[in-house]
Amino acid sequence: TIEHRLKRLQSRASSDEIVADISTLEGLRLAIKASKPGQFSKYQRLVTLQKPDGSSSLGWSPKQAEDRLVIFTESLITLDFLHKHLPDELGLKSQQVAVLRGAMRDKDLMDAVEQFNKLDSPIRMLLCSDVASEGINLHHLSHRMIHFDIPWSLMVFQQRNGRIDRYGQQRQPQIRYLITESDNTKV
């Protein structure tokens, strides 16, 4: 978002106000690039939800083959961030985490879903963009879902939740929404 906004402003950098906005955005971009996962409170909350020893744990254990976890994001950059950092943070092997994103071929998407739904598959966690929010059955071995990013539309929540909250689900779905709260009362 910052990169796109900077490009738009730099193409018309004529007034002092626009130049000031560019400077502010460049500072923000540098601060974000310097941020580490340990400084990202929402990410740390996600990690806490998944660790079995935490008091606010979701109760998920990657050691249990019949207990899979689905995490949805809005942003592909966030999806890549989670895929890069989350497995190490949780002690997962690379083959225990699968990713569903819109740039994948249909065959690859369906293969990943099929593997996620197989008891003998090593996959324990599925990181998804909204490509997985409709028409995919993930309820066979999963009843836990986390919305890392909150979509603008409430219908998207229902569509995402419907991946694990379906006819045939044998366990009570556990769904968590990670909401960022601002200190700014106007936000």
Side-chain angles (χ1 to χ4, degrees):
T1 302
I2 293 170
E3 295 295 337
H4 290 298
R5 184 70 181 146
L6 274 170
K7 283 180 188 175
R8 286 178 51 198
L9 288 176
Q10 288 167 341
S11 69
R12 56 186 186 136
S14 57
S15 73
D16 289 342
E17 185 177 311
I18 290 175
V19 171
D21 286 349
I22 290 171
S23 177
T24 300
L25 286 169
E26 286 173 341
L28 183 58
R29 177 177 61 185
L30 288 173
I32 289 171
K33 285 185 179 185
S35 295
K36 304 291 180 225
Q39 299 167 312
F40 187 5
S41 61
K42 189 175 185 179
Y43 172 75
Q44 290 305 313
R45 178 70 178 131
L46 175 67
V47 170
T48 301
L49 275 173
Q50 295 176 70
K51 290 199 172 178
D53 55 350
S55 62
S56 60
S57 172
L58 190 59
W60 171 73
S61 173
K63 293 177 183 173
Q64 297 177 9
E66 70 284 349
D67 192 4
R68 311 288 168 97
L69 177 64
V70 179
I71 300 174
F72 273 97
T73 68
E74 282 288 295
S75 161
L76 295 176
I77 293 169
T78 303
L79 186 70
D80 292 340
F81 174 88
L82 294 178
H83 189 224
K84 178 180 178 181
H85 297 285
L86 205 50
D88 287 342
E89 190 90 40
L90 298 174
L92 297 171
K93 296 178 177 94
S94 61
Q95 67 268 24
Q96 290 182 294
V97 180
V99 176
L100 295 181
R101 57 186 311 134
M104 295 171 69
R105 297 181 333 192
D106 288 345
K107 181 188 180 319
D108 295 334
L109 282 168
M110 291 301 102
D111 286 347
V113 169
E114 185 178 327
Q115 288 302 308
F116 183 74
N117 286 322
K118 283 185 175 179
L119 191 58
D120 62 350
S121 169
I123 297 173
R124 299 296 184 264
M125 178 187 296
L126 190 61
L127 301 172
C128 307
S129 71
D130 277 335
V131 71
S133 65
E134 290 184 65
I136 295 177
N137 294 324
L138 301 174
H139 68 288
H140 302 291
L141 297 173
S142 178
H143 68 286
R144 302 178 203 275
M145 178 182 290
I146 299 173
H147 297 271
F148 187 79
D149 296 323
I150 304 302
W152 289 104
S153 168
L154 294 177
M155 277 307 294
V156 174
F157 278 132
Q158 293 295 2
Q159 291 167 335
R160 289 176 176 181
N161 292 350
R163 301 312 94 224
I164 65 164
D165 189 5
R166 307 183 69 71
Y167 291 115
Q169 175 59 266
Q170 300 296 313
R171 296 172 283 183
Q172 177 67 39
Q174 294 181 15
I175 301 170
R176 300 293 188 276
Y177 307 89
L178 297 182
I179 300 171
T180 303
E181 292 182 9
S182 175
D183 291 336
N184 183 334
T185 57
K186 292 182 181 180
V187 175

